[in-house]
Amino acid sequence: MFVGHLAVAFAAKKAKPEVHVGWFIVAVSFVDLIWPILLLLGLERVEVEPGNTAFTPLAFVHYPWTHSLLMGFAWAAVLAGLARWRGVARNGAALIGALVLSHWVLDFVTHRPDLPLWPHGGPLLGLGLWNSIGGTFAIEGAMWIVGIAMWYSACRPRGVGGWAAIVSFVLVSTVIWAGGAFAPPPPTAQDVAVGALMGWIIVPWAWWIERASAPRGSLRENRPGAPAN
């Protein structure tokens, strides 16, 4: 899942508008941001296997440190603790930790049975939504639309810069997600890892979205002469 994760981050902004949306976007993507680093270090492994599922040609052979449920709890504690250290309120940090864990839950829905419960041994789980391109588009697409709507109900883009930030993020994310089902498979697993590193662009992009928007009804939104970006 890709835009489904981002949808959860946008929905969280509706629940906690006082928390920077960057925390939520990083939280839902946290293990996927770490994953390519561990691939390049040889600690986890992916293979390019066309037909592995209808939606993606990637076979997630070994990723216990980023995508096991037990490590999900550990990564959730790390990011929630970092948020508290950076001044996020306790309930906001708890939500950030929950979003890190939400990644495993949503991947459980989409992946074929390849998600471990703990780093070594045990069953591999997954409901396999990715076996259906239509089903993936319907379910994840609906989540994406709802998530965007929830963000928009809580935040207002400020001027041209605000609209550019959110619209570009939504369009690029949608194209990457939808186009991935029909794009040719990457040549090698190393190409997968290097390409996945580009996902780190969401960190400054999320900062831009937050800086260029305001909570609906806030003084910053309604103040005459407020800067547009």
Side-chain angles (χ1 to χ4, degrees), residues 2-3 55-57 137 171-185:
F2 175 51
V3 295
F55 200 79
T56 177
F137 279 149
L171 287 179
V172 170
S173 298
T174 302
V175 168
I176 291 173
W177 166 67
F182 307 105

Side-chain angles (χ1 to χ4, degrees), residues 126-182:
L127 297 180
L129 178 62
W130 274 344
N131 288 316
S132 169
I133 292 178
T136 301
F137 279 149
I139 293 174
E140 194 170 359
M143 291 177 62
W144 189 216
I145 291 169
V146 171
I148 295 166
M150 292 183 70
W151 178 89
Y152 188 71
S153 71
C155 301
R156 179 184 294 278
R158 293 188 294 123
V160 174
W163 282 106
I166 188 62
V167 170
S168 61
F169 185 86
V170 168
L171 287 179
V172 170
S173 298
T174 302
V175 168
I176 291 173
W177 166 67
F182 307 105

Side-chain angles (χ1 to χ4, degrees), residues 26-44:
V26 169
V28 299
S29 309
F30 195 49
V31 297
D32 279 350
L33 295 175
I34 299 167
W35 177 64
I37 299 172
L38 298 192
L39 287 178
L40 293 172
L41 291 174
L43 298 176
E44 299 194 337

Side-chain angles (χ1 to χ4, degrees), residues 18 56 60 74 142 199 215-216 219 222:
E18 70 274 15
T56 177
F60 301 95
R216 288 190 177 273
L219 292 176
N222 295 323

Side-chain angles (χ1 to χ4, degrees), residues 79-94:
L79 195 62
L82 180 61
R84 284 289 292 147
W85 177 65
R86 295 297 298 170
V88 177
R90 189 179 303 275
N91 55 0

